[in-house]
Amino acid sequence: PGQSPGSSSSSSSSSMSTAAFSPEEVAELRDTFDIFDKDGGGTIDVVELRAALDHRGKRMSDMDLKRLMDMVDEDRSGEIDFDEFTKMMTIFNVKVSPEEEIEAAYAHFDVDGDGKVGAPEIKQVFQEMGHPIDDGELKDIMSTIDGDQDGYVTLADFKELMKGNGSKK
């Protein structure tokens, strides 16, 4: 009468929380969630949530953000998991376009928010993702994706890379 090994009680809520979205949209939501889950822990904390919402043009006061967290953080962990994230997106009726996903990913790399990504930022993000790179690898990455070789990856460079047109080799 118990659950089978490997099953979890969240599996039924997962199908319910994603029911409002097509399989393609669920995949896009997963990609967006993963982009903002900067520490790779499988949850988004209030800081990461603010970044995700700000990126989507949903500016919120601290009080409104707390209310939103209280509304979707069902297990009261102070963080939201993917199921809770999809419920939040259903509340907002947010559809994520591939273009917005690319811009969100770029914003993740633009650590200082200046609209361009330099080698130190790329190195920092790889480090945060648990994939440290050495200077040789960093140079290879930059030479591949820095379209005009000015030492910075622009949003246009990044879009070309994400669309599969970025390789200069």
Side-chain angles (χ1 to χ4, degrees), residues 7-25:
S7 72
S8 73
S9 60
S10 66
S11 60
S12 62
S13 69
S14 177
S15 60
M16 288 174 49
S17 66
T18 59
F21 299 100
S22 71
E24 294 81 16
E25 290 169 330

Side-chain angles (χ1 to χ4, degrees), residues 98-118:
E99 186 81 7
E100 290 172 316
E101 278 187 52
I102 291 171
E103 290 171 5
Y106 183 80
H108 181 76
F109 280 90
D110 186 12
V111 176
D112 63 11
D114 67 355
K116 56 188 180 181
V117 177

Side-chain angles (χ1 to χ4, degrees), residues 116-129:
K116 56 188 180 181
V117 177
E121 290 169 299
I122 290 175
K123 192 169 189 169
Q124 178 182 340
V125 170
F126 272 86
Q127 178 74 34
E128 289 172 359
M129 294 184 333

Side-chain angles (χ1 to χ4, degrees), residues 40-66:
T43 58
I44 296 177
D45 64 23
V46 71
V47 172
E48 293 165 327
L49 178 60
R50 178 172 297 285
L53 293 173
D54 283 353
H55 179 74
R56 305 220 104 346
K58 305 273 187 201
R59 307 264 185 248
M60 300 185 111
S61 70
D62 289 343
M63 182 170 288
D64 287 342
L65 189 62
K66 182 181 179 335

Side-chain angles (χ1 to χ4, degrees), residues 40-169:
T43 58
I44 296 177
D45 64 23
V46 71
V47 172
E48 293 165 327
L49 178 60
R50 178 172 297 285
L53 293 173
D54 283 353
H55 179 74
R56 305 220 104 346
K58 305 273 187 201
R59 307 264 185 248
M60 300 185 111
S61 70
D62 289 343
M63 182 170 288
D64 287 342
L65 189 62
K66 182 181 179 335
R67 282 190 199 123
L68 177 62
M69 280 295 284
D70 289 345
M71 191 170 22
V72 297
D73 182 17
E74 293 177 350
D75 61 2
R76 301 290 176 242
S77 65
E79 299 180 321
I80 57 173
D81 61 21
F82 181 67
D83 289 341
E84 293 164 336
F85 180 75
T86 57
K87 289 174 187 163
M88 179 190 71
M89 294 307 228
T90 302
I91 291 167
F92 280 129
N93 194 24
V94 173
K95 303 292 184 189
V96 180
S97 73
E99 186 81 7
E100 290 172 316
E101 278 187 52
I102 291 171
E103 290 171 5
Y106 183 80
H108 181 76
F109 280 90
D110 186 12
V111 176
D112 63 11
D114 67 355
K116 56 188 180 181
V117 177
E121 290 169 299
I122 290 175
K123 192 169 189 169
Q124 178 182 340
V125 170
F126 272 86
Q127 178 74 34
E128 289 172 359
M129 294 184 333
H131 303 288
I133 56 176
D134 63 34
D135 289 341
E137 291 168 310
L138 182 60
K139 184 178 179 188
D140 288 346
I141 290 169
M142 288 300 291
S143 68
T144 301
I145 62 176
D146 179 11
D148 58 8
Q149 300 298 305
D150 66 350
Y152 295 98
V153 177
T154 63
L155 180 57
D157 293 334
F158 194 76
K159 285 180 179 179
E160 286 299 308
L161 172 72
M162 298 305 282
K163 292 176 182 175
N165 304 324
S167 178
K168 307 291 182 223
K169 297 187 177 184

